[in-house]
Amino acid sequence: MATLAARRTTAATLGLATALVLAGCANPTDGGTTEVAAKPGSKTKINISPDQKRVTTGKVDSIAAEVPEKIRKRGTLELVSSSGSAAPLTFYATDNKTVIGVEPDLAHLVANVLGLEPHINTVSWENIFVGLDSAKYDAGLSNITVTEERKEKYDFATYREDNLGFAAKKGSGLKITGPKDVAGKTVAVSSGTNQEKLLVEWSAQNKKAGREPVDIKYYQNESDTYLALQSGRIDLYLGPNPTAAYHAATSGRTEVVGTYSGAGAGLQGLIAATTKKNSGLAKPLADAINHIIDNGTYAKVLKRWGLSDEAVTRSEINPPGLPKDGS
């Protein structure tokens, strides 16, 4: 694993580069596309219509055989993702009902390798974990960060780096590098996320240092959050960096004013396919992810959504995650 300094530099560069290279606007005459740049100087068009023409791959019998028998017999892989629209991670196509994005694309690829039909269920964030706990769903692919607390109940197979972004109204003049920069600020965050955990920890550090705490606000959905940002009711919104950068590029009204690892200062955060602990799915999921990394389809999907900078070189099972104390 890279050093902290290198990781922090990468995260900061990612926030700036992603905000600059993501540029989009829907083009109805083009069947519903958004133009983005997978890397500086290289533009591509993303299909945001219901007809996705997804990247596919073949079944690998040896990996498929690792899947628990109950799931193999069923023939479907019951996947769960958040119903909140968060481009380019998981969001709705131009028909406002078809779920698309980098997460669904990767879910389909993994299911291909396992020889299963992917069935993506969309629910509220907290119900992802309720459904995993009850075994209603086999795995969650919904920008879920590995944390030490979650590892007590779930197993993880990583597939992307996790970097957070602070969104502000364009021209705010703000720059966020650590706790002192959000002291006394009104910051929105989604409940139950690692972003919330990080922000609560930063607020506590500010109080301990004699600075003002963070005024943390919660909104039901991203659209309400950005309305609050535009109206000045909040100063900042802390969320996944890809969504913050995408919104900044497509709306022209916000900007990313700081990035941070989703695992805190000492560790690069990682996003992972999440299963109920000891379900028997973590290994086949990790093996499937490593297979698509090796055959190049993984890279094609990330490039398609402008997220090549968040690629991992291998899927890891239950690696170190965000510490319980947030340090």
Side-chain angles (χ1 to χ4, degrees), residues 44-47 50-59 100-113 116 118 120 291-306:
T44 188
K45 285 186 177 180
I46 284 178
N47 175 11
D51 184 12
Q52 277 295 284
K53 299 180 177 64
R54 286 188 168 97
V55 177
T56 62
T57 193
K59 178 183 178 182
I100 63 174
V102 69
E103 308 280 43
D105 273 13
L106 291 175
H108 276 76
L109 274 183
V110 167
N112 288 165
V113 175
L116 299 169
I120 299 177
H291 178 75
I292 62 175
I293 290 173
D294 291 341
N295 72 12
T297 53
Y298 168 83
K300 288 180 181 178
V301 166
L302 265 63
K303 181 179 180 181
R304 181 185 184 200
W305 297 102

Side-chain angles (χ1 to χ4, degrees), residues 47-289:
N47 175 11
I48 57 172
S49 75
D51 184 12
Q52 277 295 284
K53 299 180 177 64
R54 286 188 168 97
V55 177
T56 62
T57 193
K59 178 183 178 182
V60 179
D61 290 337
S62 60
I63 301 176
E66 299 172 1
V67 175
E69 184 179 5
K70 180 181 177 181
I71 299 174
R72 292 203 313 270
K73 286 184 174 180
R74 187 207 303 149
T76 61
L77 188 62
E78 294 297 325
L79 300 162
V80 63
S81 185
S82 174
S83 56
S85 187
L89 302 176
T90 301
F91 63 113
Y92 293 104
T94 51
D95 64 355
N96 291 319
K97 63 181 181 180
T98 303
V99 179
I100 63 174
V102 69
E103 308 280 43
D105 273 13
L106 291 175
H108 276 76
L109 274 183
V110 167
N112 288 165
V113 175
L114 299 179
L116 299 169
E117 183 67 27
H119 183 203
I120 299 177
N121 304 271
T122 55
V123 300
S124 62
W125 172 259
E126 64 275 9
N127 280 318
I128 291 175
F129 301 97
V130 172
L132 291 173
D133 291 345
S134 65
K136 182 177 182 179
Y137 311 122
D138 300 318
L141 275 83
S142 189
N143 204 58
I144 302 171
T145 303
V146 180
T147 74
E148 291 304 309
E149 183 175 3
R150 288 174 182 162
K151 279 164 66 176
E152 294 176 357
K153 295 180 65 176
Y154 308 101
D155 287 323
F156 295 95
T158 60
Y159 62 88
R160 246 185 45 244
E161 286 192 352
D162 174 35
N163 294 296
L164 310 180
F166 286 91
K169 190 174 181 178
K170 193 166 185 177
S172 68
L174 296 172
K175 184 177 181 181
I176 310 301
T177 60
K180 62 179 174 53
D181 299 317
V182 293
K185 297 286 190 296
T186 302
V187 186
V189 72
S190 295
S191 178
T193 61
N194 68 308
Q195 296 99 282
E196 179 193 25
K197 185 176 176 64
L198 180 68
L199 196 59
V200 168
E201 177 65 23
W202 279 17
S203 185
Q205 289 179 32
N206 281 332
K207 288 177 70 175
K208 188 175 181 180
R211 298 186 290 261
E212 290 185 69
V214 182
D215 182 10
I216 301 175
K217 299 294 185 184
Y218 299 92
Y219 291 87
Q220 290 296 318
N221 55 60
E222 193 174 77
S223 60
D224 289 343
T225 305
Y226 279 110
L227 283 173
L229 197 61
Q230 287 302 310
S231 68
R233 283 177 287 152
I234 59 174
D235 300 306
L236 295 157
Y237 169 41
L238 175 59
N241 186 58
T243 63
Y246 191 94
H247 186 275
T250 55
S251 74
R253 297 191 299 269
T254 60
E255 60 186 349
V256 177
V257 295
T259 60
Y260 210 77
S261 166
L267 188 68
Q268 172 60 53
L270 292 169
I271 299 298
T274 306
T275 72
K276 187 176 182 179
K277 199 157 193 69
N278 300 319
S279 69
L281 261 181
K283 186 177 187 303
L285 286 171
D287 288 346
I289 294 165

